[in-house]
Amino acid sequence: MALSRRTFSALAGSTALGFALGGSGGPGAPAAYAARTVPTGPPPAPPRADGRRHTIGYDQYSLLVDGRRLVVWSGELHPFRLPSPSLWRDVLEKMRAHGYNTVSIYVAWNFHSPAPGSFDFTGVRDLDLFLRTAAETGLYVILRPGPYINAEVDAGGFPGWLTATQGSARTTDPVYLGHVDAWLTAVNRIVRRHQHTDGGGSVLLYQIENEYDGHVADPAGPAYMSHLYKKVRADGIDVPLFHNDKGRNGYWIPGSFDTGGEHGKWLYGFDGYPSPAQTPPDWGRFGIGGLKGGATASPRTPGFVPEFGGGWFDPWGGVEFGGKGYAESRRTRDAAYERRFYLTNLANGITLHNVYMTYGGTNWGWLPAPVVYTSYDYGAAIDEARNVTPKMAPMHQLGHLLQRVPDFARLERAADVHVDGLRTYHLTNPDTRAHVYVLRNDGTGPVTSTLRTPARDGGDGIEVTVPAKDARLVTTGLSLGRRTLRYATVQPMAVLTAGRQDVALFTGPYGEMAHLVLDCPTEPFVQRLDAEAAWVYDQNVLHVTAPLGQGGLTRVLVQRGESDTPLLLLLADDATSLRLFPYDTPSGTLLVYGPALLRHARINGSAVELTGDTVGPTGLEVWGPRGISSVTWNGRPVPTRVSLSGSLVATTNLAAAPKPALPVLTGWRRKAGNPESAPGFDDSSWTVADKKTSFSTTPVPDGGPVLFADDYGFHYGDVWYRARVTGDTENLRSVSLAYSTGTQGMLMAWLDGKPLGSHRMPVPDAKTVRQGSWSATAEFPVAGPEKKDPEHPRDTEPQKDGGKPRTRVLSVLVRRMQHDMDGRSLDTHKTARGLTAVTFAGASPKVSWRIQGESAPDPVRGPLNNGGLHGERQGWHLPGFADGGWQPAELPRADRGMGVTWYRTGFRLAVPDGVDASVGLVLEDDPARAYRVQIFLNGWNLGQYVNDVGPQHTFVLPNGILRTRGSNTLALAVLCDGTSESGPGVVRLELLGSAAGGVPVTAVASPGR
């Protein structure tokens, strides 16, 4: 029976109410909507802060928002990895335009909490602003505040101060839970104002913990999860909750822990990062089934993948991608990878799909976990410089398909179909009788084969070619408005109504011959609007063919016949599809073709007002409701004509984006930056290191003292140690320094102001790429006391007492890198950082220690910005610092010696208004030179360059921190281990992308001190 709009609305409302009153997703319990099902119909409207109540439920097929089926097509974005709030809007608008309806975000505890009980949600940490922006953009939000998040961030998101506290993390230890509850209280106070359920915003789902598998088999795990669940509910969070199983384990399915009597508001999800070398796995209806089968572990909740690989991270040294960095990640996990793996997920019933990452961003400051370097580009569809890459095409196509064609929200497995040479999945929608076929080629060469559809769908033999390591989505019986598609060899992207005609958009690879077949009981009137298309009508069937992409967009207009409503067929290759943007307005739906990005559209009377971006010169074409007669682009009128397809077509191209000229970096000044190595340095204000016990998982040496940096409140960046060695020093032969760091940690040591030497941790290889904590002992021989230098007596000679050595001064700088994550719930984030033990050979002196790390957290840039270098403590990295007394310098340099040297310069940019220019800083040098550089722009610590390790050479400078129309200060802190010449070498600016349009960018606060 066909449903009228009124009947459908009533049915949808009643089922939503029924779900809200009860139901359970637990194994063995009745499914939500067991008595009646929600029929296939239009999805809910995009979310916004509308102040109205909304229901969020689910059944085994999909989420149900206000009783309507919602397929969640989500992309991961971490606000803390883009420290410029204006740019949050830029990336969110790009995601929405390219088919995403949801954004998933972690909220990192360490980013917001400089001290126990202290929480900062201002400036670049303004969670409220991000959630408002997401709702204004029309995106749902999946919120993931941990408390543990992993995410390749320092300590897995735990704040540095937590590493030095009592209590076992990720358990029911009351000390730990006290800190967790304080954190969740602070987060939830903000989040509950933005829930979609009460119309405050667009928060759709809320995750507790992250990939938690450390205590599944003992009571501590369920009790911990229960505590978090009840805490979140007590804080007023009423959207459905979920957890992301680390793999297909069936951990934390509904009913696996106590939810305080609440049923039907917990979802099971699992993460997956299959390698492109693997065959796409079946994690659902075509898989092995049961608890290990992915979605089948919880058959009464919809298939949910909270994280599915949209790329992969790269470690120091770049072993994951052969030293080629994220460009290789993007190449190996390209558009074909996405089609092959994501279509397999869709076939397996995954209707909540989150791509990790969609925008990776930057591990600025001391944010990164040991296993990654500064860039977190991830090989994502939107690169670190915010450029949309070609691999966005499948995301764009599938996202719009899942929003515009409701058949895909309720698919069931249908009769198996065999196609020679291809893995074939056959599904059908029980309401519409549309059939879906996923044809996957796992081989190394293209396969051309024939798909035989069931007799009830015409029994046609459909010849399809699938390239190597790729996949194709074929549909039959799909409604294209008032007409029916018998089959198409290319994938539908959207079906919509614009004005008085239906529009159906199909996509495929460039050059492929698209073949569409429509059931037409009465011969239609067909117009080929572009020369590439051809058509023939025969035996009540219309055949349309066209080679994709050769002329851009191909248009075919089908009129009359059995329907008075025209059907416009649009055929596009991947690149062309990325320039097609459906957009709903209160006055009707628009379809815009041409620009690189459509940000917003509004119908004002008869005028269509568009804003967006262009990169190269481009045409513009707009289909829309009846009565539109003019177009503006970014506020300027565009001359147009009316086409045969009913569109408004620009008669001149939109302008390309200019490429702003960038200055050469000159005028450098330099200053040595390790006065702490001199024996006469005044360290009286430093912290005395004399503790005997620690909460670290690293053993304290017998007799102590504790030298672990975290125990003295120094959690990020470099740390200095100074020891006064007295008594028996005359026969001292060597000093052994045991230390522990994250990946690529190092130390440098001086005795009485003279270099003892340096030591660094090895570069990770394929076996150690995941190792987060590294420990080693550096042994340095000690020369006898030198003769007195009358010019520098304190720098060359130990102090004397009665002719015998009295005091020697040992200075050690440790680049500690970052804390390990705690993925296995073993408190590995508490592994010591810094020196762990110091021994002396040939003597048994008395030793007293002082330690100094970072100063108080920067109130604007936060606790993760600064480390303990002398220049950082003195403000040498800040734009207002007076460096007039520093020595002039030119780059490239070829210095020798061990220690720290700072370089500073300024530069101005004059990017035209209305141009979004993304700029990077490039460092290049002979890879045999062993040195590293900490990069500061306008006081912001934007990354670490290790010249002889790599692979990163380009560092993105985010607009807002970068003044694209004004003055900037660049400071480089160079650490050389003394084993080779050191630079810097070439240091230059590079344009990474330029678009005419963009979003207004507000300068991120950058105080001079």
Side-chain angles (χ1 to χ4, degrees), residues 982-1008:
S982 70
V986 173
V987 180
R988 59 182 173 85
L989 299 174
E990 182 174 295
L991 187 66
L992 304 179
S994 181
V999 297
V1001 177
T1002 301
V1004 179
S1006 182

Side-chain angles (χ1 to χ4, degrees), residues 397-477:
Q397 297 159 6
L398 283 169
H400 286 297
L401 171 69
L402 296 172
Q403 292 185 56
R404 301 278 170 180
V405 182
D407 304 66
F408 288 85
R410 188 181 181 214
L411 292 177
E412 295 178 346
R413 184 171 180 172
D416 290 344
V417 173
H418 177 75
V419 180
D420 289 342
L422 300 173
R423 175 70 167 99
T424 306
Y425 302 88
H426 178 203
L427 305 111
T428 187
N429 183 296
D431 300 323
T432 67
R433 307 295 289 172
H435 286 255
V436 174
Y437 302 87
V438 173
L439 308 176
R440 196 180 74 217
N441 181 3
D442 297 324
T444 57
V447 172
T448 299
S449 196
T450 301
L451 167 64
R452 302 271 177 203
T453 62
R456 63 176 176 272
D457 297 315
D460 296 291
I462 307 172
E463 185 176 279
V464 179
T465 298
V466 183
K469 304 294 184 182
D470 209 332
R472 184 77 76 252
L473 179 68
V474 174
T475 54
T476 66

Side-chain angles (χ1 to χ4, degrees), residues 11 104 198 214 265 327 359 399 485 564 678 691 760 839 848 949 971 980:
L11 179 59
S104 172
D198 61 10
K265 298 187 73 172
Y359 173 77
L485 176 73
D564 293 332
K691 293 185 177 183
R760 54 191 294 184
T839 57
S848 61
V949 174
S980 69

Side-chain angles (χ1 to χ4, degrees), residues 787-861:
K787 293 183 179 180
K788 183 176 181 180
D789 181 344
E791 297 295 325
H792 304 90
R794 298 188 69 187
D795 290 349
T796 61
E797 186 180 23
Q799 298 178 34
K800 306 284 185 175
D801 183 8
K804 296 181 179 180
R806 181 170 62 87
T807 301
R808 307 193 74 173
V809 177
L810 174 64
S811 302
V812 183
L813 173 64
V814 179
R815 173 142 289 186
R816 41 178 288 150
M817 303 302 278
Q818 289 83 21
H819 301 94
D820 199 355
M821 297 183 289
D822 190 28
R824 297 177 62 190
S825 306
L826 298 174
D827 273 353
T828 46
H829 62 292
K830 293 185 177 183
T831 304
R833 292 295 184 259
L835 291 179
T836 55
V838 179
T839 57
F840 300 89
S844 300
K846 295 181 179 179
V847 185
S848 61
W849 288 94
R850 289 183 181 268
I851 183 173
Q852 177 65 56
E854 73 271 21
S855 301
D858 186 313
V860 172
R861 302 173 184 93

